[in-house]
Amino acid sequence: MNKQEDKAVNTECFTDFDGKFHARLAAVMPRYAGDDGGDSKVTGTSARYQCRVKIEYQKDLMGLLEEGMLLAVKNFKHADEGTERFTLMEISRVWPEHFGLSGLSNHGYYPMQFEIIEQSEEDWQTDDKSTMMIQIDAIPINYDLIIHHGCKFEFAKGFSYPVVGSSIYILNSEMINRMYNQKIAAQLGVDTKHTVEDARVDQRLGTIKMFETSETKIPIYTDFEKLIRYHFGVFAFTGGGKSNLMSNVLRRIMLHMDEKKIVIFDISCEYAFLLLDVLADPYVKAKLVLEHRIGDLDQFFNSVAKPREYETDLRTRTGLRAIMTQGKLSYYTKPKQKIPTYAQIMEELDDQRKESSGKGHYVNAIDEIHDTVREYVEEQGLSENQEVSEGFVSLLDEASRLAVEKFKVHDKSGLYAWATTRCTLSDLFKKRSEKQDCDEGLTVEGIRQLLEDKDTNLVVISISDPYTIKELAMALTQDLLVRRKRRFTVKPYILLVFDEAQEFISSKESGIDGRCSQHVETLLRQGRKYGLGVCIATQRLAYLNTNALQQLHTYFVGTLPRPYDRMLVSDTFMIDKGILEKTLEFAPGEWLLSSYIATGMENVPIFIKADNAEKEIEKYLSSNG
C-alpha cells in the first residue's frame, strides 16, 4: 500500500476511519441479468459491472463498514487540472477472510482442521494483515463524482470504468448529507445540521443508515411535490412498519406542504388512530368517513383499529372526542333512490339506437337528444360518472319531447315512451331529499363535494367492505381525472392513498376487481399531468397489477421474505438484487428508499431508518389525554 497516497486523502469529502481503512480495487467483473442462477426474466440489474475491493484487516473495521456506504475510486475519464474524477459505488456485501480458513479442506486430518479453526478465533482479535483481510462487493451507481478545488463537487450521470488497483475512498457523513439533501434542503429552507424527529418542526422522513456506530445522524429529506405528483409505493411484509411509515409521510405532507389534498382509502380502518393528532387538530380541515353511523364515543373508540399497546388506552378517547365535537366525523350511506349518471343516460340512448337501427328518423331523434346531453356535460364541466341534476332532468325532458315531435316518432314506440317520461326522474330527487333531511351520512356525491371544497384538505374513508370501498374508489378516481382534464388545472395537488393496494389494483382482470384496477391504473398513467398523485402500499406484490407498479417514481422497500416479491421489485424498479437482499435483515421501520425524481440523487438506493409515527401519537396523548 502506498502510504504517501493515503496521506493525501481528501478529508473534506472522504473518511478513512482515523487511518484504519486502506483499500484497493481488485477487480471489475461484467454482470448480466441472471448471473446468480435465477430466472433472468425476473432479475433486474441497474449496473453492468460488479467491483471487488480488498481491504487491509483491522479488527475494528468490521464494526464500522456497512452495506449501503458509498465508495469512490478514480476512473479513466479525463479531469481538468486541479480536479479529480471518481466512479461511485455502493457496498452490497462485506465479509472478512482468513488465509488459514480459506485453505482448509474437508479432506484434511480432523485434529488439524480443529486446530486451525481454534487458532483463527484468536487471530480475529489482532490486526494481523498477513493472515486476514476484508473483502467488499460493490455495485456502481452510474454516477461520477467530480471534485474541484476546495471540495466543490458535482455529479455526472453515467458509468466510467474505474482504474483497477487504485485506492478506494469512503464518502464521509458530511458528503453523504450534501449529496442527498443539499438541493432539497435549499428548496425547503431547512438546516440539515440541526435536525429533529418532531414532525411539526422538521420535514425529514428519518435518518440515513450510515455511520451509526459513530452516532452520526444524517437526515433524509424528499421533495413532497414530486413525491406526490409522480406517485410512490410502500412495500413490506406484515410487521415491517408499513402503516407507520405511511402515516409518517402523510403527516409531514399535511403539516409542511401548501396547496394539497389527501384522500385515504383505508380498508383496514387504522388511520383514524395513526393520524389521530392531525385529525383532532382544529386547524386541519378534515373529514373521517366511516362505514356506519357512530352513535357515541364508546362506539367510536371500539370501531377504530389500534396497535396492541393502545387497544385499552383510554387516552385515545380524548382525540376521538375532538374529532366528533369538531364535526369531522361522518359515515357513508348508499342512496336508496338510485339517480342515474350522465353516462347511464347516454347508454340508454345507445340501446334505443340499436332497437331503431332500421328507422332513420328515429336515429335522428336519438342523435339530437344525445347531442343535448353531451353539450350540457361539456358546458358545465361535469364528469359523465356524476349523477344527473334536477336542472338537467328538466332540460332532458324538454329536449326529448321536442325531438320525437320534430322527427315524427310514432306515439306507440318504445323511443316515444322513453322520451316523454323523463320528467319522472324528478320524483327520485324528492324522495332522496326527504331521506336526507333525517340522514347526515355522505353519499358519493357528498364525498365528491368535499374534494371540491377549498377548505377540506384531508379525507379518510375507513370502510372495511371491499365491494363498497372499490365502488367509491372507481367513482372518485374517474371523476377527479375527468374534471382536471376539462379544467386544465394542476393545483391543488391531490394525493390518493390506497392502503392494502392488492384490493384496488389487483392482477385480476374480471369483475369489480378488474374494473377497479383499470381505473387506478388509468389514474397512475395520466394523473401526473393534472396534479393527481397516487400512493400504493401493500405486503404482497405478487397480487398487484404490474402495469400499475411501473408508473411509480419513488418506492420504499422493507422486508419482503418471499423471493418472488423481491425479484419483482428488482425487475420493476431496477434495484440490484445484491442490495435488495439487505432488506431481509431490516428491523421494523428500516427501509430501502430509491427515487427517480424526489430525492437528491436520482435512482440511487439508500438505506434509511424512518422516524416513528407512534411517537407523535404518544406526544399528543400525553399532552391531551
Side-chain angles (χ1 to χ4, degrees), residues 36-52:
D36 59 354
D39 186 348
S40 62
K41 294 181 180 179
V42 291
T43 303
T45 178
S46 59
R48 294 180 296 140
Y49 297 93
Q50 177 174 309
C51 299
R52 178 65 53 83

Side-chain angles (χ1 to χ4, degrees), residues 217-391:
K217 297 291 185 183
I218 309 173
I220 181 67
Y221 292 88
T222 58
D223 186 325
F224 288 145
E225 181 178 320
K226 292 177 180 177
L227 187 71
I228 290 176
R229 190 167 180 179
Y230 294 92
H231 318 311
F232 66 100
V234 179
F235 313 119
F237 195 60
T238 302
K242 176 169 55 69
S243 298
N244 192 298
L245 174 68
M246 291 276 290
S247 62
N248 186 27
V249 174
L250 298 177
R251 177 180 286 102
R252 281 166 167 79
I253 291 174
M254 285 298 304
L255 295 174
H256 297 288
M257 183 179 174
D258 298 325
E259 294 189 273
K260 83 292 181 182
K261 290 178 180 285
I262 297 177
V263 184
I264 304 174
F265 294 93
D266 178 22
I267 199 169
S268 301
C269 302
E270 57 187 356
Y271 282 87
F273 177 83
L274 292 172
L275 292 175
L276 181 63
D277 57 316
V278 177
L279 288 167
D281 189 335
Y283 296 102
V284 175
K285 303 301 181 183
K287 184 70 77 173
L288 175 60
V289 183
L290 300 181
E291 194 165 0
H292 303 291
R293 181 201 293 268
I294 297 296
D296 53 40
L297 184 59
D298 288 336
Q299 187 180 358
F300 190 15
F301 179 81
N302 293 329
S303 67
V304 173
K306 298 174 282 293
R308 188 184 303 115
E309 58 269 27
Y310 288 97
E311 287 179 349
T312 58
D313 193 334
L314 298 181
R315 296 178 300 167
T316 306
R317 297 164 65 92
T318 302
L320 299 179
R321 184 184 293 109
I323 294 173
M324 295 181 73
T325 56
Q326 292 172 26
K328 296 178 179 178
L329 184 63
S330 187
Y331 64 97
Y332 176 64
T333 178
K334 291 184 179 180
K336 293 182 179 178
Q337 303 301 325
K338 186 67 174 177
I339 294 175
T341 63
Y342 296 101
Q344 288 172 335
I345 295 293
M346 287 189 275
E347 286 174 6
E348 291 176 9
L349 287 168
D350 290 338
D351 291 339
Q352 292 291 340
R353 174 190 285 274
K354 292 175 184 176
E355 294 176 7
S356 307
S357 57
K359 302 175 181 177
H361 57 302
Y362 279 34
V363 171
N364 291 336
I366 293 168
D367 286 346
E368 187 157 308
I369 300 170
H370 193 282
D371 289 345
T372 301
V373 177
R374 174 66 66 185
E375 288 172 6
Y376 181 85
V377 170
E378 291 178 353
E379 288 173 1
Q380 300 297 321
L382 302 171
S383 163
E384 295 176 6
N385 198 48
Q386 283 184 252
E387 294 178 350
V388 301
S389 63
E390 285 191 81

Side-chain angles (χ1 to χ4, degrees), residues 466-522:
Y467 190 90
T468 301
I469 200 167
K470 286 173 191 174
E471 279 190 326
L472 264 173
M474 288 189 292
L476 293 175
T477 52
Q478 181 179 351
D479 180 65
L480 283 171
L481 190 56
V482 170
R483 283 175 177 269
R484 284 292 171 101
K485 285 182 176 180
R486 289 183 175 168
R487 296 179 182 180
F488 301 102
T489 55
V490 174
K491 292 186 177 180
Y493 293 118
I494 299 180
L495 174 64
L496 294 98
V497 180
F498 297 94
D499 200 358
E500 303 297 339
Q502 69 275 3
E503 297 287 346
F504 300 96
I505 51 171
S506 167
S507 56
K508 297 178 182 177
E509 297 181 356
S510 59
I512 191 170
D513 293 314
R515 295 198 306 274
C516 186
S517 180
Q518 186 177 19
H519 276 76
V520 179
E521 182 186 338
T522 301

Side-chain angles (χ1 to χ4, degrees), residues 234-240 242 268 499-502 536-544 559-562 565:
V234 179
F235 313 119
F237 195 60
T238 302
K242 176 169 55 69
S268 301
D499 200 358
E500 303 297 339
Q502 69 275 3
I536 63 174
T538 185
Q539 58 181 314
R540 191 69 205 274
L541 282 88
Y543 298 143
L544 262 58
T559 301
L560 295 171
R562 295 183 177 92
D565 289 343

